[in-house]
Amino acid sequence: MSTPDQQPTPQPVTDSRSRGSMVLKAVALVVLAAAVLSFPSMAANPFILSVGVVIMSYAVLATSWNFVGGFTGYISLGHAAYSGLGAYATGLLIIHTDVNPWIGMLLAGLLVAAMAVPIGIASLRVRGASFVIVSIALVLILLLVFQSWGSFTGGSNGLRVPRPFGPEVLRPEQHERFFYLHAALLAVALLVWWLIDRSRFGMGLKAIREDEDKAQALGVPTFTYKLIAFVVSAFFTALGGGMYALWFGFLDPIFQFSILVGSYMVLMSLLGGIRSLFGPFLGAVIVGYAVEYFKNQYGDSQFHLVAMGILLGLVVLFMPDGIIPAATSLVDRFRPQRTSIREVSAADLAEQRRTSDPVAARADQQSRTDDGTDVPDATAGTGTGAATDTDSPTVTEGARR
Amino acid sequence: MSLFVQSLVLGILLGGLYALLAAGLTLYFGVMRVVMIAHSAFLILAAYLAWWFTDQTGLDPLLSLLVTVPLFFGMGVFMQRALISRLRPATLTMMSVLLTFSIALVIEGTLGFVFSGTQRRIRLDYGGANFEIAGANVAVVKLIAFGLAVVSLAALFLLMKKTQFGQALRATIQHPEAARLIGINTERVAGYGFGLGLATAAIGGTALALDSTFYPSLHWHWIGPLMAIIVVGGLGSIPGAAIAAMVLGMGQALLQIPLGTTWAQTFFYIALFATLMVRPQGFFGGRLAQRF
């Protein structure tokens, strides 16, 4: 559907713009990495450091969640199922098989990924609301099973996970090590997300997010793609859960299989922006800090639930695209000629072509009169456009409007 | 044998209550394509209000319905108008889940804040009364809860079938655009439909409060079975939800004998996953149900 003459126009724009923004991005990345790596030495006391570990753990989970939520648009409220399974599988593997803790964590991740295949086959058959219902049901059923099956999982008494480091490693030092370990896991997850984002596979997933029926009609093997994204997401979530188990050393079904944890992942990702690489990370920093703050300040009262509920409601109502896309579009508003092709109206585009390339303009005129209407072409662009331009989140963002 | 009859009777009573609770969920979904996670939170809220009413006045908790039903109806209309209608149509289904989830969190947190996390129970003169039918013991409170469910479902049925508002509501459920074309103010109807759904939550919550202990986070235990019922029945289908509620309620009650209470609950989830494998749109849902 996209006529060849559309190709040259965006190309020079992205080229001139990408060099500048790439340098900017690289600098931002280095600053971010430096900030993360220097946090343990800046932390005032072990408590702050442990909050940092919690936030990093949330960041891993939210980024892992975003493999499904961000790419396919399937909102899972039940990812706590995979983090909880990962945590328990890690703990149980170490206790029962005497395996090296880190290998145990990896095995647990693979195990959960394998379990995610049949779960994905069942739950990805339905869309939207039904999918969310299934994801919630999964957490509830696992909570029930892990509480009732006390002989194996420790039930409501909890499960003590052996520490991976010897007794000579003191608590603050342990926090520090786990902070870096979580950061490393987060980096791997982010890298994989970025690679998928730029791949053909990622294009297919985003096409599913924009319009699943149309994506299928265009030849995207939607079910396979969704399933792969789902399993990858479950794998990383399980690793995040396993890492948390090794750090915290104690598991209780109530906290491991909690819809609240799953909803935190959604809230973090939405708040930061599910279409951007660092969105979930940013959301995790904000929400993780807020959660720890409210728990610390208001202790046993249920006030933190109210605060979280209101925050989630506000995000859903007023900022469903998240902070990063909102900020990006704000910045873009002050950058002339750096808008993406989506934000240019069809009339502007025709004018641009006429002045820059008379041959293309004529061809464009031709195709337009041939088609009779311009509208179908534009709507088809939402599918293919989302698939062609992988770089900026604003492109696909604009396609939804 | 008498154990079997006992479970059967319990299953029927339980199924009736489930049907009442799930009817509200189907209404929201049918009218607005909204999955209302907060439904069970409103149930617990109604239960607390009934308890608080009895605690303060000493009157029968059923009298609190005179206040809670209109109150919940108003809240439903308000919720639909002020919150849910603000969501973008393209992402309505997904975002409504998150929005109602946040409402559930706020309700749970507020209940915990105001009434504390301790378990509550209504003390009734007839709380321990029971009688025998065909060798099965039936607690009076369970029968009252069932009666409430039957009466309100019948009222709902009559409202939907006999009144002009019911006709407009059904038209909106079946085909919103066509309903708008023939002059139905679908937005107003949607608001009232939402209020109606929440009013069933007021009745259901009060019925629940009659014979069980409740605490703020109890709604998580309810949301799973209720969601399972509407998926098995087919999203948006009221008769489907009623039948699924009966079948699943009976199944749960019967499985309690060999498996025990906790494991019997997994029946709902097994039914849910089995339904998705066999018939993703549910047993009474239209083909469209799969897409939402």
Side-chain angles (χ1 to χ4, degrees):
Chain A
M1 276 287 231
S2 66
T3 41
D5 58 274
Q6 280 181 334
Q7 237 40 18
T9 352
Q11 223 52 49
V13 180
T14 20
D15 252 339
S16 64
R17 142 186 201 196
S18 64
R19 204 164 303 135
S21 73
M22 251 166 76
V23 173
L24 210 69
K25 272 181 191 167
V27 170
L29 203 63
V30 169
V31 171
L32 182 70
V36 167
L37 290 180
S38 64
F39 174 79
S41 52
M42 311 257 276
N45 54 45
F47 172 71
I48 301 287
L49 193 54
S50 75
V51 171
V53 179
V54 171
I55 289 179
M56 278 317 231
S57 169
Y58 277 140
V60 171
L61 294 181
T63 305
S64 313
W65 180 91
N66 210 26
F67 280 100
V68 178
F71 284 131
T72 65
Y74 278 61
I75 305 274
S76 158
L77 268 174
H79 255 53
Y82 308 110
S83 65
L85 276 177
Y88 266 99
T90 306
L92 290 170
L93 272 174
I94 296 171
I95 291 170
H96 290 292
T97 67
D98 229 22
V99 72
N100 174 295
W102 307 106
I103 295 177
M105 190 181 98
L106 197 66
L107 284 178
L110 291 172
L111 198 69
V112 174
M115 285 162 89
V117 174
I119 297 171
I121 290 176
S123 59
L124 289 169
R125 285 163 65 96
V126 285
R127 295 182 193 172
S130 310
F131 177 77
V132 186
I133 293 173
V134 175
S135 71
I136 294 175
L138 189 65
V139 180
L140 294 174
I141 194 175
L142 285 173
L143 174 63
L144 214 61
V145 168
F146 275 77
Q147 273 186 333
S148 314
W149 198 4
S151 56
F152 185 56
T153 64
S156 304
N157 294 327
L159 183 75
R160 200 159 281 289
V161 181
R163 309 242 167 195
F165 302 119
E168 73 280 1
V169 180
L170 296 173
R171 257 183 180 276
E173 204 180 333
Q174 176 135 321
H175 288 333
E176 196 175 320
R177 287 190 186 185
F178 269 103
F179 182 85
Y180 288 126
L181 284 167
H182 273 107
L185 182 56
L186 176 65
V188 174
L190 286 171
L191 181 70
V192 174
W193 201 93
W194 182 76
L195 287 174
I196 292 180
D197 191 40
R198 298 178 65 87
S199 70
R200 193 182 162 75
F201 172 55
M203 293 168 205
L205 290 176
K206 281 184 266 184
I208 292 172
R209 178 181 71 200
E210 299 307 331
D211 190 331
E212 189 161 346
D213 292 321
K214 217 168 269 170
Q216 196 157 22
L218 286 169
V220 177
T222 50
F223 191 76
T224 319
Y225 274 28
K226 282 191 292 186
L227 190 61
I228 293 172
F230 187 77
V231 171
V232 169
S233 175
F235 175 68
F236 277 107
T237 314
L239 287 186
M243 186 80 92
Y244 177 86
L246 289 176
W247 172 62
F248 199 69
F250 185 75
L251 302 173
D252 185 328
I254 292 259
F255 295 110
Q256 290 305 308
F257 297 105
S258 141
I259 299 181
L260 216 52
V261 172
S263 66
Y264 283 161
M265 297 183 209
V266 181
L267 174 59
M268 288 163 185
S269 306
L270 275 186
L271 182 65
I274 58 171
R275 283 141 207 269
S276 41
L277 176 61
F278 289 105
F281 182 24
L282 177 69
V285 172
I286 297 171
V287 176
Y289 181 79
V291 169
E292 293 301 313
Y293 176 80
F294 282 128
K295 275 190 188 157
N296 201 23
Q297 289 288 309
Y298 300 101
D300 287 334
S301 84
Q302 299 289 302
F303 187 73
H304 65 276
L305 284 182
V306 180
M308 278 301 121
I310 291 175
L311 184 59
L312 180 62
L314 289 177
V315 168
V316 167
L317 278 177
F318 300 109
M319 216 169 31
D321 288 327
I323 291 174
I324 289 184
T328 317
S329 69
L330 195 70
V331 170
D332 276 345
R333 202 178 291 169
F334 297 107
R335 286 199 291 197
Q337 293 166 5
R338 292 204 171 176
T339 47
S340 98
I341 188 168
R342 293 266 147 245
E343 285 161 289
V344 182
S345 74
D348 289 344
L349 209 59
E351 185 61 35
Q352 213 173 329
R353 275 196 211 120
R354 211 185 337 272
T355 49
S356 64
D357 189 356
V359 186
R362 218 171 303 134
D364 179 54
Q365 205 99 48
Q366 192 90 39
S367 79
R368 201 173 291 202
T369 40
D370 282 352
D371 281 0
T373 48
D374 195 26
V375 183
D377 215 54
T379 44
T382 55
T384 46
T388 351
D389 193 325
T390 53
D391 198 83
S392 83
T394 53
V395 172
T396 41
E397 210 250 346
R400 279 190 343 148
R401 299 222 165 107
Chain B
M1 186 60 201
S2 79
L3 201 59
F4 177 77
V5 177
Q6 176 81 59
S7 314
L8 209 62
V9 172
L10 266 182
I12 293 171
L13 295 181
L14 202 62
L17 191 58
Y18 281 171
L20 173 64
L21 303 182
L25 281 172
T26 340
L27 263 180
Y28 312 123
F29 190 84
V31 182
M32 292 254 354
R33 305 272 168 240
V34 163
V35 176
M36 171 84 162
I37 304 280
H39 189 75
S40 55
F42 276 102
L43 290 179
I44 306 303
L45 179 64
Y48 265 96
L49 289 178
W51 166 77
W52 187 68
F53 175 81
T54 309
D55 197 51
Q56 295 291 312
T57 63
L59 297 171
D60 194 277
L62 291 180
L63 286 174
S64 72
L65 284 176
L66 294 176
V67 185
T68 49
V69 169
L71 179 74
F72 274 49
F73 181 81
M75 280 200 282
V77 176
F78 173 79
M79 244 177 86
Q80 197 275 325
R81 286 296 181 82
L83 301 175
I84 292 175
S85 61
R86 280 176 191 274
L87 297 171
R88 292 181 197 160
T91 52
L92 175 69
T93 319
M94 285 292 193
M95 289 301 163
S96 70
V97 177
L98 295 178
L99 189 60
T100 55
F101 180 84
S102 71
I103 293 170
L105 283 185
V106 171
I107 292 176
E108 183 190 338
T110 314
L111 282 179
F113 200 61
V114 177
F115 294 115
S116 87
T118 26
Q119 307 205 346
R120 305 286 179 183
R121 200 184 168 91
I122 299 182
R123 271 176 226 297
L124 293 167
D125 314 333
Y126 50 88
N130 58 60
F131 57 90
E132 239 181 69
I133 300 178
N137 258 326
V138 179
V140 170
V141 278
K142 279 203 161 58
L143 199 65
I144 294 178
F146 182 73
L148 268 182
V150 170
V151 169
S152 34
L153 279 177
L156 194 62
F157 179 79
L158 286 178
L159 187 72
M160 295 288 272
K161 287 283 178 191
K162 300 286 175 198
T163 65
Q164 202 167 14
F165 164 69
Q167 250 179 351
L169 192 58
R170 277 186 296 141
T172 311
I173 290 174
Q174 277 166 13
H175 204 308
E177 285 83 22
R180 264 196 294 279
L181 274 179
I182 58 166
I184 292 172
N185 186 345
T186 49
E187 277 174 30
R188 196 164 63 198
V189 168
Y192 291 163
F194 215 89
L196 210 55
L198 219 50
T200 64
I203 303 172
T206 312
L208 262 184
L210 287 180
D211 85 322
S212 56
T213 327
F214 43 88
Y215 44 93
S217 62
L218 179 67
H219 68 110
W220 296 121
H221 293 263
W222 276 95
I223 197 69
L226 291 182
M227 291 292 170
I229 286 170
I230 62 165
V231 170
V232 171
L235 283 174
S237 157
I238 292 180
I243 295 169
M246 258 311 175
V247 172
L248 292 183
M250 296 256 270
Q252 188 200 7
L254 289 178
L255 282 177
Q256 272 176 7
I257 311 170
L259 294 181
T261 334
T262 324
W263 289 103
Q265 275 186 46
T266 54
F267 177 60
F268 283 95
Y269 304 115
I270 292 165
L272 171 64
F273 278 95
T275 307
L276 292 181
M277 287 307 222
V278 182
R279 242 181 104 83
Q281 71 271 38
F283 285 97
F284 295 89
R287 217 189 275 160
L288 262 179
Q290 201 176 346
R291 305 224 161 156
F292 294 101

